[in-house]
């Protein structure tokens, strides 16, 4: 609802989306989940689709250049999304919703939160999205919406010691298959001139993350660490791309690869 933040398709054939902040391309805006870099590098093309809406508790937007603590991309600002917290079971212990429409798209989301005691709590998150029907309303021979099949799952844990230490850690898995192009394109047929023009993306991504906070007895003294590892394998057409990214932050972030 803000004219300085625009969400749009960067590639209509493959369905890749981007966010423009203050009129500049999405690569200049930092997109994070719970203060951890999430949409960057190879994941910038489809990363926005890997943050299901029903999982989100809140979104914070910072306009203009900010601190470089969280990375170098935030030239025009940053967008941070917070997932629903496992320890907030009083608000919504479980959630299940299913959506479908006449174009053949359907989606299912599930969130379950369980606090074991005052120290430990866990959350299970799931998302399944399917679009397997070819849609071409303007009869131009190209798909209006790329066909896709996406599965996203996450398990997150929270720990509160009751004293100087608290932590969050978890794992997230994403598998997505996207096919776009002409309606005559058959992804299972040989890529010859007899086959239609098409673009396919087969994505598998693993994320491991851990956040620690230590508050010392000395007033106004604390330290926080963020550990994150992401492994992405992306197949676009005939080209294979891979990225393994490990990040560690102690007051500032160092990019290892």
């Amino acid at each position: 609802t803000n004219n300085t933040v625009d969400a749009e398709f960067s590639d209509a054939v493959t369905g890749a989306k981007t966010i423009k902040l203050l009129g500049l391309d999405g690569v200049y805006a930092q997109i994070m989940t719970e203060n951890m870099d999430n949409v960057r590098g190879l994941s910038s093309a489809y990363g926005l689709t890997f943050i299901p809406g029903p999982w989100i508790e809140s979104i914070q937007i910072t306009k203009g250049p900010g601190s470089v603590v969280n990375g170098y991309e935030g030239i025009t600002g940053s967008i941070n999304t917070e997932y629903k917290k496992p320890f907030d079971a009083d608000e919504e212990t479980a959630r299940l919703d299913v959506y479908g429409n006449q174009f053949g798209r359907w989606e299912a989301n599930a969130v379950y939160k369980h606090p074991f005691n005052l120290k430990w709590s866990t959350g299970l998150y799931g998302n399944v999205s399917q679009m397997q029907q070819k849609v071409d309303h303007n009869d131009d021979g190209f798909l209006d919406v790329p066909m896709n099949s996406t599965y996203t799952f996450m398990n997150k844990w929270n720990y509160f010691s009751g004293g100087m230490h608290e932590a969050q850690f978890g794992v997230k898995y994403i598998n997505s298959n996207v096919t776009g192009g002409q309606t005559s394109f058959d992804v299972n047929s040989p890529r010859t001139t007899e086959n239609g023009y098409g673009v396919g993306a087969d994505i598998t991504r693993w994320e491991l993350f851990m956040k620690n906070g230590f508050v010392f007895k000395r007033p106004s003294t604390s330290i926080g660490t963020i550990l994150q590892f992401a492994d992405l394998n992306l197949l676009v057409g005939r080209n294979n791309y891979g990225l393994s990214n490990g990040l560690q932050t102690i007051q500032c972030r160092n990019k290892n690869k």
Side-chain angles (χ1 to χ4, degrees), residues 57-125:
E57 180 186 66
S58 61
I59 299 175
Q60 297 84 39
I61 299 176
T62 302
K63 302 176 186 178
S67 172
V68 298
V69 168
N70 296 312
Y72 56 85
E73 295 98 334
I75 296 176
T76 61
S78 63
I79 300 174
N80 181 57
T81 59
E82 292 286 333
Y83 293 131
K84 295 181 178 179
K85 310 302 181 185
F87 49 83
D88 289 336
D90 293 338
E91 297 181 1
E92 186 180 67
T93 302
R95 173 193 178 99
L96 176 65
D97 63 73
V98 179
Y99 167 82
N101 62 28
Q102 70 271 27
F103 302 116
R105 172 181 170 83
W106 69 272
E107 183 175 344
N109 298 279
V111 177
Y112 175 72
K113 300 181 291 186
H114 181 72
F116 292 96
N117 47 49
L118 295 178
K119 292 185 177 181
W120 288 96
S121 60
T122 187
L124 298 174
Y125 308 78

Side-chain angles (χ1 to χ4, degrees), residues 18-237:
T18 187
I19 284 183
K20 285 189 175 181
L21 197 60
L22 300 178
L24 292 181
D25 193 71
V27 296
Y28 300 104
Q30 189 172 47
I31 301 178
M32 302 178 290
T33 55
E34 302 199 324
N35 209 34
M36 295 180 291
D37 287 314
N38 190 277
V39 182
R40 71 188 313 184
L42 289 176
S43 64
S44 60
Y46 299 96
L48 291 176
T49 62
F50 301 151
I51 309 176
W55 295 10
I56 296 176
E57 180 186 66
S58 61
I59 299 175
Q60 297 84 39
I61 299 176
T62 302
K63 302 176 186 178
S67 172
V68 298
V69 168
N70 296 312
Y72 56 85
E73 295 98 334
I75 296 176
T76 61
S78 63
I79 300 174
N80 181 57
T81 59
E82 292 286 333
Y83 293 131
K84 295 181 178 179
K85 310 302 181 185
F87 49 83
D88 289 336
D90 293 338
E91 297 181 1
E92 186 180 67
T93 302
R95 173 193 178 99
L96 176 65
D97 63 73
V98 179
Y99 167 82
N101 62 28
Q102 70 271 27
F103 302 116
R105 172 181 170 83
W106 69 272
E107 183 175 344
N109 298 279
V111 177
Y112 175 72
K113 300 181 291 186
H114 181 72
F116 292 96
N117 47 49
L118 295 178
K119 292 185 177 181
W120 288 96
S121 60
T122 187
L124 298 174
Y125 308 78
N127 169 267
V128 178
S129 177
Q130 297 277 341
M131 177 65 182
Q132 298 298 330
Q133 180 175 322
K134 294 184 178 181
V135 179
D136 181 20
H137 286 293
N138 57 0
D139 296 324
D140 63 351
F142 282 82
L143 296 175
D144 295 341
V145 181
M147 296 187 296
N148 72 84
S149 176
T150 302
Y151 303 88
T152 309
F153 302 98
M154 183 175 68
N155 180 214
K156 180 181 175 183
W157 290 77
N158 281 77
Y159 170 75
F160 296 96
S161 66
M164 61 175 292
H165 178 222
E166 64 179 77
Q168 302 178 30
F169 57 91
V171 59
K172 184 179 179 181
Y173 170 75
I174 302 164
N175 181 269
S176 180
N177 186 281
V178 181
T179 302
Q182 290 182 293
T183 56
S184 59
F185 173 69
D186 185 0
V187 68
N188 297 316
S189 299
R191 302 293 179 88
T192 63
T193 55
E194 297 179 357
N195 197 358
Y197 171 79
V199 176
D202 190 0
I203 303 168
T204 301
R205 178 181 172 95
W206 284 94
E207 297 179 17
L208 301 174
F209 57 89
M210 184 174 185
K211 300 169 66 176
N212 289 278
F214 301 90
V215 179
F216 302 108
K217 293 182 179 180
R218 182 179 177 181
S220 303
T221 305
S222 63
I223 189 171
T225 65
I226 299 177
L227 307 174
Q228 182 186 26
F229 174 83
D231 181 73
L232 171 67
N233 292 298
L234 175 63
L235 171 64
V236 180

Side-chain angles (χ1 to χ4, degrees), residues 8-18 25 44-45:
E8 59 184 38
F9 284 97
S10 59
D11 184 359
V13 175
T14 61
K17 297 179 181 179
T18 187
D25 193 71
S44 60

